[in-house]
Amino acid sequence: PFDDGRWSIGTTDSYNVYDWIDGKVHVDAQALFHDVRGYFERFLRLPDPFYYDFLSLWCMATYHFRLYDSFGYIFLNAIKGSGKTQALTIMSWLAFNATHADAITEASLKRLVNANSAVLLNDEAERLRKKFEDDQSTLFEVWNGGYKKSGKAISVNKETMQVERFCTYSPKALANTRGLENVLEDRCITLYFLRDLGKIPELVEGEQARRIAMIRNQLFCFSLEYIEGIIAAKAETTRPEGLSGRDWELWQPVLVLAKFLDSFGAGDDLYNRMAT
């Protein structure tokens, strides 16, 4: 696991590990959703309110992504100055074990996913193209096959000469201005960002660190506290009419969580907004 823990151990932090173990904390699921959504809404200028809902649901669902057989990637296709990098920054703070993977070795990439179930974020997705037609780099196995639980990367240990298999399954988000190769794009839910005439508020990590840490602590507690309800919502959620099998694979985690949050009766109607 990561050396720097994402879930606070210190007993002075709200919703820390020990408070959870001792049964001292309870997460208000609807309030947590609006806290997460508030960060995207406050620091981004997106073309449709739907985007704020979707990004928030996706980040929350990463904390229990192994519940699903597949988990759709996000692709932010946007021109410069439209907020895609800022969106990935917010996701890096809020998604499960999130880490930037713009410039990383193949070995490190495989181990991040295999050992830490890391959510990978790539702001330079132009680089995710094969250098030549028969390029069999495991880099592409991690990105192309990692949207499914069955995804594996295979390599040979140079010291032992033994074949090793690495799990590649984890949520991933990418961004660039040009587009992706067809295979990778087929694994993504694409959001198009536009440059807003208004100024995007500056996001300063130091000013948000303590607040972000508390929200992230709540996200860990949320999935542990409500996992049975989420499993029940998964069993009740069927593929919407008109949605292809592939799109259902990509959208299921977001739709299930939307239906679960709607069960609290807060009037958000998240499921219908996502499904349509």
Side-chain angles (χ1 to χ4, degrees):
F2 285 118
D3 292 332
D4 53 335
R6 298 272 290 185
W7 187 6
S8 299
I9 296 175
T11 56
T12 60
D13 298 314
S14 301
Y15 298 91
N16 65 76
V17 172
Y18 294 114
D19 283 350
W20 163 257
I21 292 174
D22 294 337
K24 296 179 180 178
V25 296
H26 165 70
V27 177
D28 183 325
Q30 281 287 342
L32 177 59
F33 169 75
H34 287 291
D35 283 344
V36 173
R37 189 185 191 278
Y39 265 90
F40 290 106
E41 193 169 31
R42 178 181 173 188
F43 291 106
L44 296 172
R45 297 288 181 266
L46 301 182
D48 193 314
F50 161 85
Y51 283 21
Y52 302 116
D53 294 332
F54 173 78
L55 290 169
S56 304
L57 289 167
W58 191 89
C59 282
M60 293 179 71
T62 62
Y63 284 78
H64 49 269
F65 76 91
R66 290 194 178 280
L67 179 62
Y68 305 97
D69 292 327
S70 58
F71 201 104
Y73 300 164
I74 290 179
F75 173 45
L76 307 180
N77 190 206
I79 61 175
K80 291 182 178 180
S82 57
K84 60 183 176 60
T85 298
Q86 191 134 299
L88 288 179
T89 297
I90 297 171
M91 294 165 72
S92 74
W93 293 347
L94 296 175
F96 178 75
N97 280 359
T99 185
H100 285 283
D102 300 339
I104 193 170
T105 65
E106 294 176 22
S108 297
L109 193 66
K110 287 188 296 184
R111 283 164 176 79
L112 275 170
V113 175
N114 193 67
N116 296 328
S117 302
V119 173
L120 300 182
L121 309 173
N122 192 309
D123 196 15
E124 301 291 340
E126 289 92 343
R127 300 175 182 176
L128 297 180
R129 294 176 179 273
K130 293 189 176 184
K131 298 176 182 177
F132 45 87
E133 185 65 27
D134 296 324
D135 188 350
Q136 298 299 315
S137 167
T138 53
L139 172 69
F140 300 106
E141 294 179 26
V142 173
W143 289 98
N144 289 341
Y147 80 105
K148 282 196 170 187
K149 189 181 289 186
S150 58
K152 294 285 187 297
I154 301 174
S155 61
V156 176
N157 187 309
K158 293 181 180 179
E159 294 182 1
T160 66
M161 300 306 294
Q162 296 295 312
V163 172
E164 296 180 343
R165 290 174 173 83
F166 296 88
C167 174
T168 61
Y169 180 48
S170 77
K172 301 173 182 68
L174 312 95
N176 71 21
T177 60
R178 293 174 49 193
L180 301 171
E181 287 191 327
N182 290 339
V183 173
L184 185 55
E185 188 172 16
D186 195 43
R187 278 89 168 120
C188 296
I189 298 167
T190 301
L191 302 182
Y192 296 98
F193 281 18
L194 304 174
R195 181 179 292 166
D196 191 276
L197 295 178
K199 184 179 180 181
I200 297 176
E202 185 179 7
L203 184 59
V204 181
E205 181 174 1
E207 295 176 355
Q208 305 297 326
R210 189 168 185 83
R211 174 69 174 157
I212 286 287
M214 186 181 74
I215 293 176
R216 191 164 56 226
N217 286 352
Q218 289 184 72
L219 286 165
F220 280 100
C221 295
F222 163 76
S223 281
L224 290 168
E225 180 174 348
Y226 292 105
I227 191 62
E228 290 185 359
I230 296 170
I231 290 172
K234 179 176 180 284
E236 297 168 2
T237 306
T238 56
R239 175 158 55 111
E241 186 177 351
L243 194 67
S244 70
R246 166 53 62 83
D247 285 336
W248 173 237
E249 286 183 332
L250 304 182
W251 280 87
Q252 186 186 20
V254 168
L255 291 172
V256 168
L257 186 56
K259 174 161 282 192
F260 171 74
L261 291 174
D262 280 344
S263 69
F264 290 88
D268 288 322
D269 200 21
L270 288 169
Y271 176 80
N272 286 328
R273 293 218 296 276
M274 293 299 111
T276 56

